[in-house]
Amino acid sequence: VPKSEYEEYQKNKAEYAATLKKINDLELSTAENKDVLDTLGGMDASRRCFRVVDTVLVERNVGEVKEALETEKQNMM
């Protein structure tokens, strides 16, 4: 049974909304990463800091966090 034009429109509209949300989330994450990188920019790479990975707070050093954020930023672009 072929879908009606209205059902097809609703499906496309939902996909479009989901795509826009994903783009917005990526732009927000990129901006947040940039802010953190700017803040960490002048700090000693061996300085201790903390980072949330998924839902876990982990201890790292500034150098490790900067490297991970740069990688994430490049992957999001």
Side-chain angles (χ1 to χ4, degrees):
V1 176
K3 291 184 178 183
S4 72
E5 289 182 24
Y6 180 74
E7 289 172 334
E8 189 70 26
Y9 169 76
Q10 290 297 92
K11 178 183 166 242
N12 289 339
K13 185 177 172 183
E15 288 177 7
Y16 177 74
T19 301
L20 283 180
K21 182 181 180 331
K22 184 64 176 176
I23 290 169
N24 189 41
D25 290 347
L26 287 171
E27 288 175 346
L28 181 62
S29 292
T30 301
E32 288 173 350
N33 281 0
K34 181 186 178 305
D35 289 344
V36 173
L37 285 168
D38 290 346
T39 301
L40 296 177
M43 294 184 182
D44 180 34
S46 63
R47 181 176 174 168
R48 179 175 65 159
C49 68
F50 296 88
R51 180 173 187 219
V52 176
V53 178
D54 292 321
T55 58
V56 179
L57 184 65
V58 294
E59 182 178 342
R60 296 284 187 253
N61 64 44
V62 170
E64 291 171 329
V65 172
K66 284 172 60 174
E67 183 179 321
L69 289 176
E70 285 290 348
T71 301
E72 284 181 25
K73 183 180 170 185
Q74 291 302 318
N75 288 340
M76 283 188 269
M77 300 296 242

